[in-house]
Amino acid sequence: MKRQSGKMTFMSLIAMTILVIGGYMAFQFIGSNLEKKQIKKEVFDTLGSTRGGDRENAALVAVIEEILLKREIEILEIAAELERGVIHYSFSYRMVTNYLFFKRTEVIEVVDQIENYG
C-alpha cells in the first residue's frame, strides 16, 4: 500500500479527465450566457448615448448592426423604429457555442425599448 501513495491509478485518471472536461463545458456555458447579456446591454447603452430627435430608423439599425458585426456573430434580423418619443428595437442573432465534443446553436431574440429625447 505504501508503494501506491502519490501515484495515479487508471480510475483516478478517468475521474480527473471527466472533471476537466466538465469544468471546460461549464466555463463555455457561463461564458456564452454572459456574452448574451453583454450584447443586450451594449446595444441598450449605445442607443441611449446616441439617441436624439435627429435620428432616423436607418441610423438606429446601423448602430445595432455595427455592434453585432463587431462581435462576429450571424445576424438574422434587425428592426428599430422611433415612435412618439420611444425607440422600439428588436434584433435576433445566431450564436454557436463549442462544447469540445459538440456544438450548440442557439437563436437569441431581443425586444426592448428606450425613451428618446429631442
Side-chain angles (χ1 to χ4, degrees):
M1 195 71 170
K2 199 70 162 154
R3 290 186 333 173
Q4 288 292 349
S5 69
K7 293 185 181 178
M8 183 175 274
T9 64
F10 183 69
M11 289 304 289
S12 65
L13 177 67
I14 291 174
M16 181 65 87
T17 305
I18 290 172
L19 183 66
V20 168
I21 291 172
Y24 176 77
M25 292 174 95
F27 177 76
Q28 289 293 87
F29 179 76
I30 292 169
S32 67
N33 284 336
L34 288 175
E35 186 175 3
K36 287 187 285 190
K37 290 177 186 177
Q38 181 64 31
I39 289 171
K40 183 177 178 181
K41 286 180 184 179
E42 189 175 347
V43 168
F44 186 83
D45 290 345
T46 305
L47 285 177
S49 65
T50 62
R51 62 187 167 176
D54 59 342
R55 287 288 179 184
E56 295 180 0
N57 295 344
L60 298 172
V61 170
V63 168
I64 296 171
E65 185 176 13
E66 179 184 332
I67 293 169
L68 295 177
L69 288 175
K70 183 176 71 174
R71 296 282 184 156
E72 297 178 357
I73 52 179
E74 182 182 350
I75 302 170
L76 300 177
E77 178 186 4
I78 300 174
E81 182 178 326
L82 179 59
E83 181 180 304
R84 293 190 211 127
V86 178
I87 300 172
H88 299 279
Y89 65 93
S90 65
F91 58 93
S92 62
Y93 58 92
R94 181 173 292 132
M95 179 184 239
V96 178
T97 307
N98 185 5
Y99 287 110
L100 197 60
F101 294 121
F102 61 94
K103 290 184 179 183
R104 179 177 179 214
T105 302
E106 186 176 9
V107 174
I108 294 96
E109 297 179 12
V110 176
V111 177
D112 205 355
Q113 65 184 20
I114 187 170
E115 295 291 326
N116 193 25
Y117 60 86

